[in-house]
Amino acid sequence: MKFSRFDFPEGFVFGAATAAYQIEGSSFGGCGPCHWDTFSATPGNVVKAEGGGIACDHYHRWPEDLDLLRAGNFDAYRFSTNWARVMPDGVNVNPEGLDFYDRLVDGMLERGLKPSHTLYHWDLPSALADRGGWANRDTAQHFADYAGVVAGRLGDRVMNISTINEPWCVAWLSHFLGAHAPGLRDIRAAARAMHHILLAHGLGMQRMRADGVSAPLGIVLNFDHAAPASASAEDGAAAAVQDAIFNRWFIEAITRQSYPAEALEGLEPYLPQGWQADMAVIGQKLDWLGVNYYTRHIHQAAPGTPWPATREVAGPLDKTQMGWEIYPDGLHGFLTRLARDYVGDLPVFVTENGMANADTVDGGAITDEARIRFIEAHLGAMKQAIADGVNLKGFFYWSLLDNYEWAEGYAKTFGIVHVDYQTLQRVPKASYLALKRALARND
Ligand code: IFM
């Protein structure tokens, strides 16, 4: 690895990230059904119709997983709590679920790991999904209740809390593009979800503040560099509308209490009536911002098709196993753009960055050199952003473990630790060992 922790400011936090549904196994511990259970069980939605029933069995193997973080010299662990585990029907608390997270947080602290807690990483309880999920305004209020319960229990021991992971995925990918649960392709539901997920964030923030939660509160947004396919004005406008939907909608709502005109043009007719009155709730002051970054997409005008009238075209750069172009400059671009245009010197964490790679196990070893190069390139982008004045406080690699990659099932592997899904054995990859050396403190 080209970098070590000493290339970054003292106190810079190095961690790895996971999410509950992707690793825990939802069939244990009184966890209720969530919309991913039913979405994945419906043929055609998920590769091999795989779900998160067992996943990496982290629910039973968490001490071993935390030991891996400790032994890898990581400072922190980003995890999420599963709403359907804490509240199986979306409303009433399952004490067993809450106790599990209590032990997990204590397990991190015992190992000297700082817990970074995400409240919602997509495990919407089925009972709420059945009532319209994120298209239904009531879900935002239920989320605030859930946030109050979980933060009330864990908030005194975690390094920070984020309300929602990647609202673009929750809303657009899931209700307009149909790729994630609930698998809708419906602009009306999408517009509502785009607004209600932000309302949930705002109400959750208000609840946790009112309850006196001491941990810094924020949100994790994902950003995807939107490049035009050509220098034409039409392709420039196509990239601008996708930039507005993906990269501007959420951060502008939170920091400016407004939505970008390029996105409102298509979505305003479908937003819930009186949406403007919610903007002050949505615009709660953040203590920190999480940035997830993976790639760029190239957009072309698609005249004659419905709004947003764009299509994606393939790019020329090297690609990961997901088919995503490797474009570290995009990370530097977003970090500096966010500081300049939206958040100033607010503490920022890169809460996810990583690559899926077609790893092979050879004599028990996994030599994922491509992943090491990927991490180096993106650490370089972060280092440059810090030099340019961005108040970047840490980086979490996605992901600690190979895990359930949503619509891709288990076939796409992002982990620095390999998981054998037959035996559930964990095997550290070369990237884990390289990070372990880079993060050693030499004391
Ligand atoms: O696995 C996901 C994660 O749940 C959210 N961010 C992107 C990752 C890779 O697709």
Side-chain angles (χ1 to χ4, degrees), residues 19 22 121-122 165-166 169 222 292 294 322 324 352 398 403-406 414:
Q22 293 178 270
H121 201 126
W122 309 352
N165 179 71
E166 300 182 349
C169 294
N222 51 328
N292 291 358
Y294 288 90
M322 295 293 278
W324 296 347
E352 284 182 31
W398 181 272
N403 60 47
Y404 180 62
E405 180 51 29
W406 307 111
F414 279 88

Side-chain angles (χ1 to χ4, degrees), residues 164-172 194 197 219-222 250:
I164 310 289
N165 179 71
E166 300 182 349
W168 178 88
C169 294
V170 175
W172 196 255
M194 292 283 276
I197 195 68
I219 188 169
V220 169
L221 305 178
N222 51 328
F250 304 99

Side-chain angles (χ1 to χ4, degrees), residues 19 27 30 45 62 67 73 77 179 189 206 221 234 238 264 269 279 282 314 327 330 381 407 429 438-439:
S27 46
N45 286 336
W62 63 266
D67 286 347
N73 296 319
Y77 176 44
Q206 280 187 330
L221 305 178
E234 292 76 12
L264 268 186
M279 298 311 278
I282 290 171
Y327 185 59
K429 303 180 190 178
L439 301 184

